[in-house]
Amino acid sequence: MSTERTRHTTTATTPPPVRAGVIGVGSMGQNHARVYNELPGVDLVGVTDHDASVAQQVATEYGTAALEFDALLSECDVVTVAVPTHAHYETVSTCLDAGVHVLVEKPIAQTVEEGRALAEQAREAGLVLQVGHIERFNPAVQTVMELIDDLDVISLEAERLGPPVDRTARDDVIFDLMVHDVDIVGSILDGPPSTINAIGTDDGQYATATMQYDDVVASLTASRVTQKKVRKLTVTARECLVEVDYLEQSVLIYRDSYPEYLTDDGPNRYRHESVVENARVDNGEPLRHELESFVKTVQTGVEPAVTAEDGVMALQTVQDIAALAADETPHREREREVEA
């Protein structure tokens, strides 16, 4: 598809605004529209949706235009694609054909093969294709990423738990929730797992996975049937233990744990003492950080913080986890050696 695109002129001292659009303005797409509208140096030129009335409502709220898909692409430098997963491949491919940089909400595509094809298309076109694994931009995660190179990591444990969003939300919890932690663990350990063991229950609404990364073990649990919302990551290292709370955007570091016997005119008592450090976290909205990073990547030509290849790796891993979790074989046999 070829599209003639409007060009902005500029002076040598004032760069033109980045012209942004949003394709699919459901709950997540609306947030993208809001943040683009707030970012300095970005012009939200329009939104589109299969429901024209929803697109018009969002456009009115943020002072932009509700456009047809092709018309939006002709006006944009960058777009967010926030359509249902089954439409990711066709939508993203069309955007890339039009010469538009893309941030696509996770997962990158419905299948690994589609994800790889999109990665190759973007690479050949010299365009940015960033995948919306938003937890990478959680300030608490970014703080941990700054610490991790100095740690001898032994294990990672992630919990992403909560009650059903509504009675009709029946998406597989592995693809909907656990994928976030799969991506975080993969980014911390810089690669895919070598082996995976997984089990699930309650019609795909609760699952656990244990993954081996060389000499590091990662244990992930995701649930949509737990009556408390939990979003936590624990890093066990030889030097310390790090606890990350995604919701509170906090990082606690436990160091120098040592046993102590207490005698207070009675029987001996035993306790452990630790030095607890509350790491500094520059709190902020992860989505804003994500879109700022995306726009900066487009402007500077650097590699995206979350590449298409990262998105493919996460998708491959959650597909393997889901296949194992749904398996009817005995639990001890539910293990898969991951292809290199």
mmCIF file of all heavy atoms in Angstrom, residues 90 98 132 146 170 198 203 208 252 256 260 264 284 308 325 340:
data_model
loop_
_atom_site.group_PDB
_atom_site.id
_atom_site.type_symbol
_atom_site.label_atom_id
_atom_site.label_comp_id
_atom_site.label_asym_id
_atom_site.label_seq_id
_atom_site.Cartn_x
_atom_site.Cartn_y
_atom_site.Cartn_z
ATOM 1 N N GLU A 90 -2.067 -7.816 10.714
ATOM 2 C CA GLU A 90 -2.530 -7.061 9.544
ATOM 3 C C GLU A 90 -2.417 -5.557 9.785
ATOM 4 O O GLU A 90 -1.973 -4.806 8.900
ATOM 5 C CB GLU A 90 -3.969 -7.437 9.217
ATOM 6 C CG GLU A 90 -4.527 -6.719 7.990
ATOM 7 C CD GLU A 90 -5.950 -7.124 7.647
ATOM 8 O OE1 GLU A 90 -6.502 -8.005 8.334
ATOM 9 O OE2 GLU A 90 -6.508 -6.543 6.690
ATOM 10 N N ALA A 98 3.028 1.833 5.223
ATOM 11 C CA ALA A 98 2.779 3.263 5.018
ATOM 12 C C ALA A 98 3.945 4.120 5.507
ATOM 13 O O ALA A 98 3.885 5.349 5.437
ATOM 14 C CB ALA A 98 1.499 3.668 5.744
ATOM 15 N N GLY A 132 4.591 -3.082 23.433
ATOM 16 C CA GLY A 132 4.127 -2.414 24.644
ATOM 17 C C GLY A 132 4.145 -3.268 25.893
ATOM 18 O O GLY A 132 3.096 -3.472 26.533
ATOM 19 N N GLU A 146 18.962 -1.108 37.181
ATOM 20 C CA GLU A 146 20.215 -0.414 37.463
ATOM 21 C C GLU A 146 21.059 -1.168 38.485
ATOM 22 O O GLU A 146 22.291 -1.043 38.497
ATOM 23 C CB GLU A 146 19.922 1.004 37.978
ATOM 24 C CG GLU A 146 19.279 1.915 36.938
ATOM 25 C CD GLU A 146 18.843 3.240 37.526
ATOM 26 O OE1 GLU A 146 19.040 3.433 38.753
ATOM 27 O OE2 GLU A 146 18.294 4.076 36.784
ATOM 28 N N ARG A 170 -12.405 -13.812 30.455
ATOM 29 C CA ARG A 170 -11.963 -15.198 30.501
ATOM 30 C C ARG A 170 -10.715 -15.427 29.661
ATOM 31 O O ARG A 170 -10.414 -16.552 29.286
ATOM 32 C CB ARG A 170 -13.078 -16.137 30.026
ATOM 33 C CG ARG A 170 -14.365 -16.006 30.809
ATOM 34 C CD ARG A 170 -14.181 -16.332 32.270
ATOM 35 N NE ARG A 170 -13.877 -17.723 32.515
ATOM 36 C CZ ARG A 170 -13.579 -18.223 33.702
ATOM 37 N NH1 ARG A 170 -13.519 -17.413 34.754
ATOM 38 N NH2 ARG A 170 -13.309 -19.513 33.857
ATOM 39 N N ALA A 198 5.392 -26.121 33.858
ATOM 40 C CA ALA A 198 4.227 -25.286 34.138
ATOM 41 C C ALA A 198 3.012 -26.144 34.447
ATOM 42 O O ALA A 198 2.907 -27.293 34.010
ATOM 43 C CB ALA A 198 3.923 -24.376 32.945
ATOM 44 N N ASP A 203 -9.686 -23.475 34.712
ATOM 45 C CA ASP A 203 -10.008 -23.073 33.343
ATOM 46 C C ASP A 203 -9.125 -21.937 32.843
ATOM 47 O O ASP A 203 -9.572 -20.969 32.239
ATOM 48 C CB ASP A 203 -11.485 -22.670 33.250
ATOM 49 C CG ASP A 203 -11.974 -22.539 31.807
ATOM 50 O OD1 ASP A 203 -11.391 -23.196 30.919
ATOM 51 O OD2 ASP A 203 -12.932 -21.764 31.581
ATOM 52 N N THR A 208 1.087 -21.488 37.260
ATOM 53 C CA THR A 208 2.438 -21.283 37.762
ATOM 54 C C THR A 208 3.422 -21.855 36.756
ATOM 55 O O THR A 208 3.116 -22.815 36.045
ATOM 56 C CB THR A 208 2.669 -21.970 39.123
ATOM 57 O OG1 THR A 208 2.542 -23.389 38.951
ATOM 58 C CG2 THR A 208 1.664 -21.495 40.149
ATOM 59 N N LEU A 252 12.712 -2.595 48.064
ATOM 60 C CA LEU A 252 13.365 -2.807 49.347
ATOM 61 C C LEU A 252 14.528 -3.781 49.153
ATOM 62 O O LEU A 252 14.380 -4.807 48.475
ATOM 63 C CB LEU A 252 12.392 -3.384 50.374
ATOM 64 C CG LEU A 252 11.222 -2.497 50.799
ATOM 65 C CD1 LEU A 252 10.336 -3.228 51.798
ATOM 66 C CD2 LEU A 252 11.710 -1.182 51.375
ATOM 67 N N ASP A 256 22.851 -8.306 54.786
ATOM 68 C CA ASP A 256 23.553 -8.619 56.038
ATOM 69 C C ASP A 256 22.634 -9.235 57.084
ATOM 70 O O ASP A 256 22.621 -8.833 58.256
ATOM 71 C CB ASP A 256 24.207 -7.362 56.619
ATOM 72 C CG ASP A 256 25.198 -6.738 55.641
ATOM 73 O OD1 ASP A 256 25.886 -7.509 54.953
ATOM 74 O OD2 ASP A 256 25.266 -5.497 55.579
ATOM 75 N N GLU A 260 20.649 -13.975 65.790
ATOM 76 C CA GLU A 260 20.936 -13.381 67.093
ATOM 77 C C GLU A 260 20.127 -14.109 68.161
ATOM 78 O O GLU A 260 18.920 -14.349 67.990
ATOM 79 C CB GLU A 260 20.568 -11.894 67.087
ATOM 80 C CG GLU A 260 20.886 -11.184 68.386
ATOM 81 C CD GLU A 260 20.509 -9.714 68.327
ATOM 82 O OE1 GLU A 260 19.761 -9.328 67.401
ATOM 83 O OE2 GLU A 260 20.957 -8.961 69.207
ATOM 84 N N ASP A 264 16.479 -12.608 78.003
ATOM 85 C CA ASP A 264 15.854 -11.530 78.773
ATOM 86 C C ASP A 264 15.258 -12.115 80.049
ATOM 87 O O ASP A 264 14.051 -12.122 80.257
ATOM 88 C CB ASP A 264 14.772 -10.853 77.931
ATOM 89 C CG ASP A 264 14.207 -9.612 78.598
ATOM 90 O OD1 ASP A 264 14.845 -9.129 79.544
ATOM 91 O OD2 ASP A 264 13.135 -9.163 78.168
ATOM 92 N N GLY A 284 6.500 7.637 38.759
ATOM 93 C CA GLY A 284 5.872 8.261 37.606
ATOM 94 C C GLY A 284 4.986 7.254 36.903
ATOM 95 O O GLY A 284 4.950 6.073 37.248
ATOM 96 N N ALA A 308 11.122 -5.624 18.780
ATOM 97 C CA ALA A 308 10.231 -6.646 18.229
ATOM 98 C C ALA A 308 10.733 -8.033 18.596
ATOM 99 O O ALA A 308 9.936 -8.942 18.884
ATOM 100 C CB ALA A 308 10.137 -6.479 16.713
ATOM 101 N N ALA A 325 0.906 -25.916 30.672
ATOM 102 C CA ALA A 325 -0.096 -25.758 31.727
ATOM 103 C C ALA A 325 -1.402 -26.460 31.380
ATOM 104 O O ALA A 325 -2.132 -26.914 32.263
ATOM 105 C CB ALA A 325 -0.354 -24.282 31.994
ATOM 106 N N ALA A 340 17.041 -23.676 21.185
ATOM 107 C CA ALA A 340 17.905 -22.504 21.136
ATOM 108 C C ALA A 340 17.511 -21.600 19.993
ATOM 109 O O ALA A 340 17.015 -22.045 18.979
ATOM 110 C CB ALA A 340 19.358 -22.946 20.973
#
